[in-house]
Amino acid sequence: MRLYIFDFDGTLGDSRGLIVKTMMDTFDKMGIQRPSTEACIATIGLPLDQCFAVSAHLDAKQSEACAEVYRKIFKINNVPGAVKPFPGVIETLKRLHTEGNTLAIASSRRHESLDGLVADFGITDLFSAIVGADDVVNAKPDPEPVNLILSRLHFEPQQAIVIGDAPYDILMGRNAGTKTCAVTWGNGTREELLAAKPDAIIDHPRSCCS
């Protein structure tokens, strides 16, 4: 048995379009000049207020205000089908689960959106733990999300692997002492992911079963 800890956005769910659109709608609503699409994409995986702080160079007060507006707009933009699983993800998760592995999610999303997206994919029952931003004090790349999952499920770091599409995911796993696997189908570039020094890098979900 092994514990597989997955990121959600950019790893399981293809949410880039929805996230970027909602960020841009938020900047418009707040009267803030839009940063580039690339700048927004580069922040996916960070806590929401930090996404605004980093992408548009905002202070803490502005960033938190943007995060609150974003959450309201997200509920409008998140129509059924707006976020789809990446090809091969569902099949891979089911296979890992059937083989007796334990699955978990460590996401920078709050449960108010994360739980619904996971349920929309029909995969909630595959996961033994789902940790969101509102479960921890210290977000990625701090190891707290992984450490919380390890504690809840009674695994040691050497029994676990963190799988994600952003350098923050890889650094989180490394900081927790787990193995790490970077995926190239999400938001991080191969160069960014390699710089984070993952133990492995894969180009298709089925490689998780290899």
Side-chain angles (χ1 to χ4, degrees):
M1 289 181 61
R2 193 174 196 180
L3 172 61
Y4 288 76
I5 302 174
F6 292 90
D7 168 56
F8 182 82
D9 292 289
T11 302
L12 302 181
D14 186 2
S15 54
R16 179 193 296 181
L18 175 61
I19 291 172
V20 172
K21 172 176 170 48
T22 307
M23 287 184 73
M24 294 302 187
D25 289 348
T26 301
F27 288 123
D28 293 345
K29 181 74 172 179
M30 297 290 291
I32 298 170
Q33 182 176 353
R34 291 183 173 194
S36 67
T37 297
E38 291 74 20
C40 293
I41 292 172
T43 67
I44 296 175
L46 289 173
L48 188 52
D49 59 334
Q50 292 183 35
C51 290
F52 289 99
V54 173
S55 65
H57 308 291
L58 304 179
D59 61 32
K61 184 176 180 180
Q62 288 177 304
S63 299
E64 185 54 43
C66 284
E68 290 302 317
V69 172
Y70 176 100
R71 293 185 183 102
K72 294 176 182 177
I73 297 176
F74 184 88
K75 292 178 181 179
I76 298 171
N77 290 348
N78 186 26
V79 297
V83 178
K84 292 182 171 61
F86 286 100
V89 160
I90 303 300
E91 296 82 358
T92 296
L93 293 174
K94 289 181 177 179
R95 178 177 172 183
L96 289 171
H97 187 265
T98 299
E99 291 174 348
N101 298 289
T102 301
L103 310 183
I105 291 176
S107 174
S108 292
R109 282 188 178 277
R110 292 185 178 186
H111 281 281
E112 61 183 321
S113 62
L114 177 62
D115 293 350
L117 291 170
V118 174
D120 287 345
F121 289 2
I123 56 176
T124 302
D125 292 344
L126 299 180
F127 294 98
S128 298
I130 298 177
V131 168
D134 35 356
D135 292 315
V136 298
V137 175
N138 302 299
K140 304 175 185 180
D142 191 274
E144 185 180 350
V146 171
N147 288 338
L148 179 58
I149 291 171
L150 294 173
S151 176
R152 284 183 181 178
L153 302 182
H154 308 291
F155 278 86
E156 297 298 324
Q158 60 268 25
Q159 297 174 292
I161 183 167
V162 171
I163 301 168
D165 71 306
Y168 321 113
D169 302 310
I170 305 308
L171 294 173
M172 174 181 65
R174 289 182 58 197
N175 289 335
T178 72
K179 292 292 187 181
T180 59
C181 178
V183 306
T184 61
W185 57 81
N187 300 303
T189 67
R190 182 177 288 270
E191 292 73 20
E192 291 170 339
L193 293 169
L194 288 174
K197 299 181 180 180
D199 293 293
I201 185 166
I202 60 175
D203 300 313
H204 193 279
R206 64 173 171 264
S207 299
C208 292
C209 298
S210 301

